[in-house]
């Protein structure tokens, strides 16, 4: 594939709460801040499309958010704008589609990524019929990811100690990761007032003892889903700390074709969306990774650094259990359990982080893996341009 990451920037991830650092920043304007930051070092006159991932497409994020972002960012009139929802893989899928378009010569450059402002549009705020569709077979029905995580942990006999261990590691690494933040921008309001410059959910004082004291957190969610859960074994194991915090955030990549090779940060060797069992829900990312590596003729031993989405603690536990992977190469600057999960932006956030990690650690091949509810997943392999 002849497609390149010219640059890829991200905002800080801030706590999604009323009065939060980015709670008053309209999502479209948050994206425009990233475009402004890209303009500081890049010429965007060749940009022909803007593609944004966003899960909660309602209220502040409704009405084709990409189009609104285009207008606030003062992108050219001819620039197309599309918002897509591939659940938590949306941001990476958006960049993958941009890579396809550029590699085929359809567009010279595309801006792609994602945004999610969960302080303004909470999880499942769209009240989709899918969440309660009784016409689907029980094994196909939607289950909130928190319950899916506990079902998967029960099925795979993942212990609470294992969940806590990956959670603790995520916070410890994130607390020491300031050297990996080249692509994280500060966000200011229209008057220049600083709103956010740090990821806000990292708890440097987290200990194994404090994690062990926390109770399981998600049993109260189960009541509306009893018909489904009656068919599955579930032991409630994940605490709130074993879940990625809900945050506000965005990320945006500038993607180009062969003409951009000499000034790109990374080449996209390949990417793939994949689907796995809706019953297991959170395994789609690994399915995408397996298929992509096979397609490229690579193995995990060939990969220098991996940004693997910590979609509840059970997922990285299973990743390390199932594959021959060196934990020292995975999420070296911490992951979602510490930094938070801006759903539609997550894949783009991970790619931006991977570019920083490859450059800081002087490594070459990188892998991004994103996982979403219902068995959706996406993966991408990039090669750093030296």
């Amino acid at each position: 594939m002849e497609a390149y990451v010219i640059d890829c920037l991200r905002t800080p991830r801030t706590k999604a709460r009323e009065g939060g650092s980015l709670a008053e920043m309209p999502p479209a304007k948050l994206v425009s801040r990233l475009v402004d930051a890209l303009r500081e070092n890049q010429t965007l006159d060749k940009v022909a499309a803007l593609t944004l991932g966003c899960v909660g497409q309602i209220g502040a994020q409704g009405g084709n958010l990409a189009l609104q972002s285009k207008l606030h960012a003062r992108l050219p009139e001819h620039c197309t704008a599309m918002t897509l929802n591939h659940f938590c893989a949306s941001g990476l899928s958006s960049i993958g589609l941009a890579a396809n378009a550029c590699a085929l010569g359809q567009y010279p450059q595309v801006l792609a990524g994602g945004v999610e402002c969960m302080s303004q549009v909470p999880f499942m705020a769209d009240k989709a019929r899918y969440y309660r569709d009784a016409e689907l077979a029980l094994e196909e029905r939607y289950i909130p990811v928190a319950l899916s995580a506990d079902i998967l942990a029960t099925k795979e006999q993942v212990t609470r100690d294992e969940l806590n261990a990956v959670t603790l590691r995520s916070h410890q690494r994130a607390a020491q990761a300031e050297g990996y933040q080249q692509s994280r921008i500060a966000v200011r309001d229209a008057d220049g007032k600083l709103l956010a410059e740090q990821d806000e959910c990292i708890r440097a004082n987290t200990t194994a003892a404090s994690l062990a004291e926390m109770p399981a957190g998600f049993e109260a969610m189960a009541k509306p889903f009893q018909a489904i859960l009656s068919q599955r074994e579930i032991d409630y194991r994940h605490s709130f700390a074993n879940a990625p915090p809900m945050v506000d955030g965005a990320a945006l990549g500038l993607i180009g074709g062969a003409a951009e090779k000499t000034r790109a940060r990374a080449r996209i060797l390949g990417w793939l969306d994949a689907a796995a069992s809706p019953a297991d829900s959170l395994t789609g990312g690994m399915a995408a990774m397996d298929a992509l590596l096979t397609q490229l003729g690579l193995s995990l031993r060939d990969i220098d650094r991996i940004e693997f989405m910590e979609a509840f603690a059970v997922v990285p536990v299973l990743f390390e259990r199932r594959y021959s992977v060196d934990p020292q190469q995975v999420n070296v600057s911490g992951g979602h359990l510490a930094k938070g999960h801006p759903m539609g932006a997550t894949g783009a956030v991970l790619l931006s982080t991977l570019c920083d990690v490859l450059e800081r650690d002087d490594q070459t091949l990188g892998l991004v893996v994103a996982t979403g509810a219902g068995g959706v997943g996406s993966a991408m392999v990039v090669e750093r341009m030296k």
Side-chain angles (χ1 to χ4, degrees), residues 60-372:
Q61 296 180 163
N64 192 355
L65 184 55
L67 176 58
Q68 300 170 53
S69 300
K70 164 194 164 178
L71 298 174
H72 282 286
R74 306 178 312 283
L75 290 170
E77 185 177 271
H78 68 263
C79 177
T80 67
M82 178 177 66
T83 311
L84 67 83
N85 181 0
H86 192 214
F87 284 176
C88 301
S90 298
L92 194 59
S93 298
S94 294
I95 291 174
L97 292 172
N100 287 354
C102 292
L104 289 170
Q106 182 179 7
Y107 298 132
Q109 292 179 0
V110 177
L111 287 169
V115 61
E116 206 80 40
C117 291
M118 301 185 73
S119 59
Q120 300 172 53
V121 183
F123 180 54
M124 295 175 65
D126 57 354
K127 297 181 171 57
R129 184 180 185 276
Y130 171 48
Y131 304 151
R132 52 181 177 80
D133 189 353
E135 295 181 12
L136 292 172
L138 284 175
E139 66 273 12
E140 296 174 337
R141 293 184 195 176
Y142 177 83
I143 307 176
V145 286
L147 299 179
S148 296
D150 277 331
I151 291 170
L152 192 58
T154 305
K155 176 183 176 181
E156 299 291 339
Q157 299 182 344
V158 175
T159 68
R160 177 63 181 275
D161 285 346
E162 290 177 294
L163 301 177
N164 287 345
V166 296
T167 302
L168 178 60
R169 184 179 68 196
S170 188
H171 283 277
Q172 288 174 334
R173 290 182 176 179
Q176 301 174 30
E178 277 308 303
Y180 293 104
Q181 310 301 339
Q182 305 95 290
S183 301
R184 188 182 67 193
I185 70 166
V187 179
R188 300 179 182 274
D189 67 12
D191 298 321
K193 177 184 176 182
L194 181 65
L195 299 179
E197 60 179 347
Q198 302 288 334
D199 297 321
E200 294 181 349
C201 295
I202 301 163
R203 299 188 302 275
N205 61 348
T206 299
T207 64
S210 66
L211 291 172
E213 291 173 357
M214 297 186 68
F218 299 102
E219 186 172 3
M221 295 180 65
K223 188 175 180 180
F225 302 94
Q226 284 305 314
I228 309 170
L229 296 177
S230 66
Q231 305 296 312
R232 305 181 196 179
E233 184 181 357
I234 182 169
D235 177 40
Y236 299 97
R237 300 182 183 185
H238 286 78
S239 72
F240 290 142
N242 302 138
M246 291 183 289
V247 294
D248 298 336
L252 200 61
L254 177 60
I255 310 302
E260 311 298 343
K261 178 177 180 178
T262 58
R263 67 191 188 104
R265 297 178 70 183
R267 179 180 179 180
I268 298 173
L269 298 185
W271 78 283
L272 202 65
D273 284 334
S277 165
D280 286 342
S281 187
L282 294 172
T283 59
M286 287 183 275
M289 177 191 74
D290 288 341
L292 178 60
L293 291 175
T294 297
Q295 187 179 91
L296 295 175
L298 297 172
S299 74
L300 285 172
R301 290 187 297 274
D302 299 311
I303 305 298
D304 299 309
R305 292 291 182 268
I306 302 169
E307 285 297 313
F308 187 90
M309 178 182 160
E310 294 173 349
F312 286 78
V314 64
V315 184
V317 171
L318 290 180
F319 175 53
E320 293 180 20
R321 181 189 289 183
R322 292 176 178 179
Y323 298 89
S324 298
V325 58
D326 181 357
Q328 298 303 315
Q329 296 177 320
V330 182
N331 297 350
V332 298
S333 65
H336 271 40
L337 290 170
K339 300 177 187 178
H341 175 32
M343 300 186 293
T346 274
V349 168
L350 293 175
L351 180 60
S352 174
T353 304
L354 180 62
C355 288
D356 288 349
V357 165
L358 289 173
E359 291 166 0
R360 167 69 187 272
D361 291 352
D362 193 21
Q363 298 296 319
T364 302
L365 287 185
L367 168 69
V368 178
V369 181
T371 293

Side-chain angles (χ1 to χ4, degrees), residues 10 15 38 40 44-45 88 95-96 105 134 192 204 219 228 267 284:
R10 63 189 181 277
K15 294 178 180 178
L38 284 167
E40 293 178 8
L44 302 184
D45 56 354
C88 301
I95 291 174
E219 186 172 3
I228 309 170
R267 179 180 179 180

Side-chain angles (χ1 to χ4, degrees), residues 7 9 32-42 185-186:
D7 206 351
L9 304 181
S32 77
R33 297 296 189 272
L34 287 166
V35 177
D36 289 342
L38 284 167
R39 279 196 178 104
E40 293 178 8
N41 296 303
Q42 307 292 341
I185 70 166

